[in-house]
């Protein structure tokens, strides 16, 4: 072992305060075998060459470099070590500039402090381990959970760059929420049409061979970590071969069973065989086994008889469990809306003419229960419509946050009602108005300038009281002039808060994702890394991370795709930095304290051997577990107790 | 001659150590008594290391972390903060008054705050005089 100390003068920035000769003399006394050399500007090209040559010529294998902050140049000098054929971890930097020379008024005190720091660094570097970074093979394929706008855009972007993508979608259709909307704010583009090019490319585009789309499927198990996950996917039987079905729909009319249509929020009925809605993609019918009489023992096969394609119906279709190897997982399972019946004064669930926003989207849609005609359940077009914003949002009794899209959806509704029922009067009741962005204000101004439309602010949602009998509903509400009024409305549309999707906790548990206070998936960092979860290799996008519009969801999906593309490159190995924790298996007592303290869930417990084990792909090297282990058997590489204690002895000597 | 206390300062790499660098870049002058030991996260600061510092001759110990919510490793600073309460009790058992051990937060941008914390800590420990361990 030969230790060399390289003392950088940094022009005069360091030597102005620290006397290099004195440091050398005092160090020589303490460590006669340690070599000492000064250099002018170690980080310059010439300086780096000098350091490399010095290491080689003098046969130095461990280096202490006294210079600037390791936060600036630790990697620079590790590079010198590497190029000189030395292990880069056999190096210790002393921050002589930022933390001594620049902050110490007195020259003698600064020189003393430098000697202490160098003493500590020499003691420490002699204990350093020859650490090596590891190279792991990776699988570049990606799993995407949820085929809404976010998931689809992510999938297509990845496939376009040649990646294999597996999309797991729970329902029989792709497109998520927006395929249910006739029009989308801010530009009133048709929802399904806007997504059609992406969906078309996913299904039949030039890269569709690289996309495995699994509808009616859910992930049920995940093992492994970044670079190498094994996922288990359960796919429910469709009873129709989607590759053979030509989507003609001949089978639906003969089907004798009608059942509530969940896609239209049970506002109408559908057959046991059929599409979720006209134009749904993939363009293939499916059988609902809960409704179909064949599954109740009858021998009906009217659908099959009507089908013009041989072999499209597969009555003995079975649930399948598939296993796939992927390197990264993108979670994009979207959101739902808050249950308005939790605010009883609004009459939701009690009066049929009180709708929530997603139900009303279906009423507006040409593929919905009324084929896009706005009419009450009695069949009449409404004369007076109330639209209530902020239902359950910005409300400490319900959801604290602003759901960010409801005002815009409300003005979209206003626009469409005005267009389709020009005689209708509309009143918006809002707590706050939120219409950010460069295009979003148009629909708001339109409502504001419309003489048949009123906007009234309320203070608390309890001020709105819906009552009535039969079709006639009335609402007691503030009138905007400080008093309360009662008005008859024939339709009330509630715009509830966006809340995490039903499966958020379930999917979160499978992937060990944490949820924030409101239940949305926790992102790595709200400003810098909102498309990453806190689990390495698991990306997030769309409304499962935070409420937002389609633009935000798609952008976040693109960001996730970018992170995956740059992190997992086919043919490139995953480089694992060696500054990690490791458990001494022979001495671990199995107390599991470390399992709970690790912020990355990198430590798992082996119940058979009754010991804990650190996953080096997940460990970020913070050292929290090292400090927490009650029996002190976790070693933190490069920051071991021994190394730190040697440093303590050095600075106090 | 005035008493010059010896202090060990454990600084996490991402905030407090960066805050110290910021103080340096702004050339703020502060006393040289705090000897900085860089750890990746305040969560790494094992009570053992603090005890070791006192046994090795430190008159005071300073632990600096990222502000709550800002830890680079999400929650290492929460662990450090809760561990600190246990640490202070432990120090009592060894006859070390808790005023000799300070836990605080400094962000990467708080160069001024860093030098202020250093100044205060040095003066506080100076006032306590040298630590005499039984
Ligand atoms: C009433 C209303 C109107 C809106 N109008 C507009 C508008 O006009 N313009 C606009 O820009 N934004 C609008 N938005 C917002 C828009 O709906 C969302 O931004 C968008 O749907 C988010 O896309 P996503 O991909 O994140 O999620 P989603 O669209 O919700 O898609 C999520 C997908 O994941 C699937 N999924 C769920 N759980 C699982 C599981 N466990 N496994 C597999 N798959 C699963 C779902 O079935 C779904 O297909 C509106 C929102 C509401 C509530
Ligand atoms: S804290 Fe230490 S003893 Fe306990 S399980 Fe973890 S490694 Fe084993
Ligand atoms: S060092 Fe930190 S990230 Fe690594 S296993 Fe320990 S607690 Fe987890
Ligand atoms: S990184 Fe600063 S406290 Fe954890």
């Amino acid at each position: 072992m030969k230790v060399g100390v390289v003392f950088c003068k940094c022009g005069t920035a360091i030597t102005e305060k620290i006397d290099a000769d004195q440091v050398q003399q005092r160090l020589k006394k303490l460590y006669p075998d340690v070599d000492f050399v000064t250099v002018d500007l170690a980080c310059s090209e010439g300086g780096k060459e000098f350091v490399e040559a010095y290491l080689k010529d003098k046969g130095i294998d461990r280096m202490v470099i006294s210079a600037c902050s390791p936060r600036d140049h630790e990697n620079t000098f590790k590079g010198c070590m590497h190029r000189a054929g030395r292990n880069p971890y056999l190096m210790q930097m002393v921050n002589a500039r930022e933390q001594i020379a620049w902050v110490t008024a007195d020259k003698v005190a600064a020189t003393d402090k430098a000697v202490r720091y160098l003493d500590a660094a020499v003691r420490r570097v002699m204990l350093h381990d020859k650490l090596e970074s590891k190279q792991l093979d990776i699988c570049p394929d990606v799993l995407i959970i949820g085929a809404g706008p976010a998931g689809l855009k992510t999938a297509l972007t990845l496939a376009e760059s040649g990646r294999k993508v597996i999309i797991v979608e729970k329902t029989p259709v792709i497109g998520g929420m927006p395929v249910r909307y006739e029009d989308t704010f801010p530009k009133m583009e048709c929802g399904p049409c806007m997504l059609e090019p992406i969906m078309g490319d996913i299904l039949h585009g030039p890269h569709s061979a690289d996309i495995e789309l699994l509808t009616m499927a859910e992930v049920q198990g995940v093992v492994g970590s970044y670079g190498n996950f094994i996922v288990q996917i359960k796919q429910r039987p469709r009873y129709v071969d989607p590759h053979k079905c030509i989507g003609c729909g001949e089978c639906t009319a003969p089907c004798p069973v009608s059942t509530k249509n969940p896609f239209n929020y049970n506002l109408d009925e559908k057959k046991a065989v059929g599409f979720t809605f006209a134009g749904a993609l993939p363009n293939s019918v499916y059988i609902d086994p809960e409704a179909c009489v064949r599954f109740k023992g009858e021998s009906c096969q009217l659908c099959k008889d009507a089908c013009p394609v041989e072999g499209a119906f597969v009555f003995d279709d079975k649930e399948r469990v598939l296993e796939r190897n992927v390197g990264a997982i993108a979670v994009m399972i979207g959101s739902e809306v808050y249950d308005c019946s939790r605010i009883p004064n609004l009459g939701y669930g009690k009066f049929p003419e009180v709708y929530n926003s997603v139900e009303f989207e279906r009423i507006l849609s040409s593929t919905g229960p009324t084929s896009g005609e706005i009419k009450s359940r009695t069949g009449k077009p409404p004369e007076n419509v109330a639209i209530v914003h902020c239902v359950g949002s910005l409300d400490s009794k319900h959801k604290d946050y602003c759901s960010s899209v409801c005002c815009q959806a409300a003005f979209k509704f206003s626009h469409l009602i005005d267009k389709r029922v020009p005689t209708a009067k509309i009143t918006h009741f809002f707590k706050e108005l939120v219409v950010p962005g460069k295009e979003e204000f148009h629909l708001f101004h339109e409502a504001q300038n419309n003489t048949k439309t009123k906007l009234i602010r309320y203070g608390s949602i309890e001020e709105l009281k819906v009552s009535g009998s039969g079709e006639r509903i009335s609402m007691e509400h503030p009138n905007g002039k400080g008093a309360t009024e009662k008005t008859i409305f024939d339709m009330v549309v509630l715009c509830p808060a966006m809340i995490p999707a039903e499966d958020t906790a379930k999917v979160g548990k499978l992937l060990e994702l944490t949820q924030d206070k409101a239940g949305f998936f926790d992102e790595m960092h709200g400003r810098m890394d909102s498309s990453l979860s806190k689990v390495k290799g698991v990306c997030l996008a769309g409304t499962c991370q935070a409420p937002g519009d389609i633009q935000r969801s798609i952008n976040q999906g693109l960001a996730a795709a970018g992170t995956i593309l740059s992190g997992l490159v086919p043919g490139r190995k995953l480089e694992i930095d060696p500054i990690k924790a490791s458990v001494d298996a022979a001495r671990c007592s199995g107390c599991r304290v470390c399992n709970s303290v690790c912020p990355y869930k990198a430590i798992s417990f082996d119940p058979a051997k009754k010991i804990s084990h650190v996953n080096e792909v997940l460990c970020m090297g913070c050292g929290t577990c090292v400090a927490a282990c009650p029996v002190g058997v976790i070693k933190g590489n490069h920051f071991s107790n021994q190394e730190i204690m040697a440093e303590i002895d050095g600075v106090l000597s | 001659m005035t008493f010059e206390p010896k202090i060990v300062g454990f600084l996490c790499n991402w905030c407090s150590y960066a805050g110290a660098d910021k103080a340096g870049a702004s050339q703020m002058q502060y006393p040289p008594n705090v000897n900085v030991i860089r750890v990746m996260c305040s969560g790494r600061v094992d009570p053992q290391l603090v005890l070791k510092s006192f046994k090795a001759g430190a008159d005071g110990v300073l632990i600096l972390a990222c502000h709550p919510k800002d830890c680079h490793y999400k929650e290492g600073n929460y662990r450090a903060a809760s561990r600190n309460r246990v640490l202070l009790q432990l120090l009592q058992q060894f006859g070390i008054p808790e005023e000799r051990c300070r836990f605080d937060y400094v962000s990467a941008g708080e160069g001024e705050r860093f030098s202020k914390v250093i100044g205060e800590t040095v003066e506080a420990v100076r006032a306590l005089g040298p630590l005499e361990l039984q």
Side-chain angles (χ1 to χ4, degrees):
Chain A
M1 180 194 300
K2 180 123 181 86
V3 179
V5 175
V6 177
F7 186 97
C8 175
K9 299 184 195 162
C10 192
T12 54
I14 292 175
T15 42
E16 226 165 54
K17 284 291 171 59
I18 302 172
D19 181 338
D21 290 338
Q22 256 222 46
V23 169
Q24 176 169 14
Q25 283 163 25
R26 287 168 60 183
L27 217 56
K28 238 356 263 175
K29 258 194 217 151
L30 293 168
Y31 303 100
D33 296 333
V34 169
D35 200 78
F36 187 95
V37 72
T38 56
V39 49
D40 279 335
L41 287 169
C43 62
S44 66
E45 284 312 309
K48 286 187 280 188
E49 279 164 27
F50 173 87
V51 172
E52 278 163 53
Y54 166 73
L55 296 172
K56 283 196 228 162
D57 295 348
K58 295 257 176 147
I60 306 271
D61 57 357
R62 292 176 189 247
M63 172 170 75
V64 168
I65 178 150
S66 165
C68 52
S69 173
R71 296 178 62 258
D72 272 343
H73 279 303
E74 191 166 43
N75 283 332
T76 309
F77 300 125
K78 268 185 172 172
C80 293
M81 290 287 283
H82 178 75
R83 283 189 297 276
R86 308 293 186 250
N87 182 302
Y89 293 91
L90 299 184
M91 183 189 95
Q92 178 70 9
M93 245 185 123
V94 168
N95 190 344
R97 193 180 67 181
E98 277 84 348
Q99 299 192 13
I100 306 177
W102 279 347
V103 294
T104 313
D106 179 47
K107 254 189 110 158
V108 176
T111 304
D112 284 349
K113 190 171 176 184
V115 172
R116 292 199 299 272
Y117 276 36
L118 276 159
D119 184 356
V122 170
R123 290 179 197 230
R124 189 188 208 283
V125 86
M126 293 200 278
L127 297 171
H128 281 193
D129 289 317
K130 274 193 188 165
L131 301 173
E132 303 279 354
S133 54
K134 277 195 194 156
Q135 312 269 320
L136 283 191
D137 286 325
I138 53 121
C139 170
D141 301 354
V142 183
L143 168 75
I144 296 187
I145 312 179
L152 293 175
K153 186 74 174 181
T154 313
L156 190 59
T157 307
L158 290 167
E160 280 170 347
S161 76
R163 294 308 177 85
K164 282 212 161 12
V165 182
I166 300 134
I167 307 176
V168 170
E169 166 58 47
K170 190 179 171 180
T171 68
V173 269
I174 59 172
M177 304 255 278
V179 291
R180 303 175 184 217
Y181 312 151
E182 183 73 1
D183 286 302
T184 56
F185 64 74
K187 287 192 162 171
M188 302 311 284
E189 288 164 274
C190 137
C193 320
M194 197 168 72
L195 283 166
E196 165 61 36
I198 303 183
M199 298 196 290
D201 272 357
I202 296 259
L203 294 165
H204 311 293
H207 304 283
S208 56
D210 286 327
I211 302 172
E212 180 180 20
L213 172 63
L214 300 169
T215 51
M216 303 179 74
E218 276 170 75
V219 173
Q220 62 173 21
V222 181
V223 289
S225 53
Y226 183 44
N228 277 295
F229 290 102
I230 310 269
V231 288
Q232 220 180 49
I233 302 156
K234 183 181 78 183
Q235 188 175 33
R236 303 190 301 281
R238 192 175 187 110
Y239 305 107
V240 175
D241 182 343
H243 302 292
K244 290 200 177 139
C245 172
I246 55 170
C248 65
E250 291 291 335
C251 49
T252 57
C255 174
V257 191
S258 244
T259 176
K260 288 257 186 267
N261 182 1
F263 193 81
N264 285 339
Y265 303 99
N266 303 335
L267 293 170
D268 67 348
E269 301 217 320
K270 66 181 275 293
K271 292 298 182 71
V273 63
F275 304 100
T276 41
F277 64 103
L281 291 175
N283 189 12
S284 162
V285 297
Y286 69 102
I287 292 179
D288 175 358
E290 302 275 312
C292 172
V293 289
R294 269 192 82 86
F295 296 91
K296 298 189 173 85
E298 289 181 36
S299 59
C300 173
Q301 58 165 47
L302 291 167
C303 52
K304 189 175 179 180
D305 294 342
C307 176
V309 183
E310 188 55 36
F313 279 90
V314 193
F315 288 135
D316 58 357
D317 202 0
K318 293 268 162 342
E319 179 179 295
R320 296 195 293 160
V321 175
L322 308 159
E323 213 169 76
R324 296 287 180 268
N325 181 204
V326 295
I329 300 176
V331 181
M332 306 180 173
I333 61 168
S335 55
E336 357 189 300
V337 293
Y338 191 58
D339 177 7
C340 298
S341 64
R342 300 179 76 151
I343 308 174
N345 50 302
L346 297 176
Y348 180 79
K350 190 167 167 204
F351 303 108
E353 298 309 334
V354 180
Y355 300 89
N356 71 19
S357 56
V358 285
E359 291 164 349
F360 196 64
E361 287 283 1
R362 293 311 293 150
I363 290 182
L364 292 171
S365 169
S366 49
T367 64
T370 60
S371 304
E373 223 182 299
I374 304 174
K375 55 184 183 187
S376 67
R377 294 192 206 229
T378 57
K380 283 186 298 202
E383 285 167 24
N384 202 5
V385 183
I387 302 178
V388 185
H389 301 220
C390 315
V391 176
S393 293
L394 291 171
D395 190 333
S396 57
K397 282 200 202 131
H398 303 279
K399 302 288 164 190
D400 288 323
Y401 53 88
C402 165
S403 299
S404 87
V405 296
C406 336
C407 285
Q408 297 175 71
F411 292 124
K412 162 171 89 174
F413 297 159
S414 213
H415 171 90
L416 289 170
I417 297 168
D418 189 51
K419 211 166 91 181
R420 296 189 194 167
V421 191
T423 50
K425 287 188 281 181
I426 305 166
T427 312
H428 287 261
F429 295 98
F430 64 93
K431 188 188 285 174
E432 301 295 344
L433 277 182
V434 176
V435 277
K438 68 173 183 179
E439 285 168 333
E440 286 67 3
F441 62 91
H442 290 299
L443 291 170
F444 163 53
H445 283 181
E446 186 189 298
Q448 222 180 7
N449 297 332
N450 187 330
T451 50
K452 293 193 300 301
T453 304
K454 272 196 288 193
L455 284 101
I456 296 177
R457 188 189 285 271
Y458 64 86
S460 139
I461 195 81
E462 272 97 43
E463 292 165 19
L464 309 181
K465 296 190 186 86
V466 177
S467 58
S469 60
E471 293 154 35
R472 289 180 68 83
I473 43 176
S474 53
M475 182 155 84
E476 202 181 291
H477 60 84
N479 65 0
K481 296 175 197 111
T484 302
E485 258 175 44
K486 200 168 183 171
T487 311
I488 293 175
F489 290 104
D490 27 29
M491 251 186 181
V492 175
V493 182
L494 307 175
C495 298
M498 260 184 151
I499 59 164
E502 187 188 0
D503 286 355
T504 307
K506 198 165 91 185
V507 173
K509 193 155 175 248
L510 280 173
L511 291 162
E512 306 208 29
L513 301 178
T514 49
Q515 292 168 259
D516 62 24
K517 219 174 84 196
F520 296 100
F521 288 126
D522 257 331
E523 65 283 346
M524 181 70 115
H525 190 284
R527 305 295 107 186
M528 309 300 288
D529 282 313
S530 70
S531 62
L532 306 184
S533 78
K534 293 200 169 184
V535 175
K536 207 165 169 186
V538 180
C539 295
L540 302 172
T543 53
C544 65
Q545 185 265 324
D549 63 3
I550 300 169
Q551 181 190 61
R552 181 184 181 281
S553 305
I554 295 248
N555 284 346
Q556 212 178 3
L558 281 169
T563 311
I564 293 168
L565 288 174
S566 63
L568 292 176
V569 181
R572 206 195 279 167
K573 300 201 175 201
L574 197 66
E575 175 137 350
I576 316 265
D577 179 280
I579 303 187
K580 302 272 137 120
S582 61
V583 175
D584 180 347
R587 289 160 58 217
C588 169
S589 72
C591 70
R592 303 178 72 164
V593 165
C594 54
N595 298 205
S596 64
V597 301
C598 175
Y600 299 94
K601 301 203 162 52
I603 316 183
S604 55
F605 186 68
D606 179 341
K609 295 191 193 140
K610 295 204 169 56
I611 51 171
S612 289
H613 172 79
V614 179
N615 176 323
E616 52 186 11
V617 180
L618 299 180
C619 171
M620 302 289 282
C622 68
T624 302
C625 60
V626 182
C629 173
V631 285
V633 301
I634 307 184
K635 182 174 175 198
N637 279 346
H638 214 55
F639 291 91
S640 68
N641 279 351
Q642 248 197 331
E643 287 161 336
I644 297 176
M645 287 184 182
E647 220 179 328
I648 296 171
D649 283 330
V651 293
L652 293 173
S653 67
Chain B
M1 224 175 79
T2 53
F3 162 60
E4 287 300 338
K6 289 182 185 170
I7 298 169
V8 172
F10 295 99
L11 270 55
C12 82
N13 183 56
W14 303 97
C15 282
S16 41
Y17 194 88
D21 279 354
K22 177 88 190 293
S26 327
Q27 312 229 346
M28 290 167 179
Q29 305 296 297
Y30 56 79
N33 310 55
V34 177
N35 299 289
V36 169
I37 300 217
R38 181 169 70 120
V39 286
M40 293 315 279
C41 176
S42 64
R44 172 65 184 91
V45 185
D46 191 333
Q48 262 199 76
L49 298 175
V50 176
L51 276 180
K52 158 79 194 179
S53 302
F54 284 117
K55 283 186 190 150
D59 302 298
V61 168
L62 176 62
I63 303 167
L64 295 180
C66 305
H67 283 282
K69 288 195 188 145
D70 289 349
C71 170
H72 183 76
Y73 306 98
K74 307 192 277 196
E75 50 204 42
N77 52 356
Y78 297 136
R79 304 280 170 212
S82 55
R83 195 181 293 139
N84 193 52
R85 291 190 279 277
V86 183
L87 170 68
L88 295 179
Q89 288 169 3
L90 193 74
L91 292 180
Q92 294 280 352
Q93 286 170 22
F94 283 86
I96 302 166
E98 58 175 70
E99 302 81 69
R100 290 189 182 270
C101 185
R102 172 165 177 182
F103 177 86
D104 216 323
Y105 305 97
V106 169
S107 79
E110 292 175 333
E112 200 168 335
R113 185 173 148 73
F114 176 78
S115 58
K116 186 173 152 257
V117 169
I118 296 289
E120 286 170 8
T121 307
V122 172
E123 285 326 308
V125 179
R126 198 195 304 280
L128 291 169
L131 173 67
E132 274 158 39
L133 280 179
Q134 301 83 335

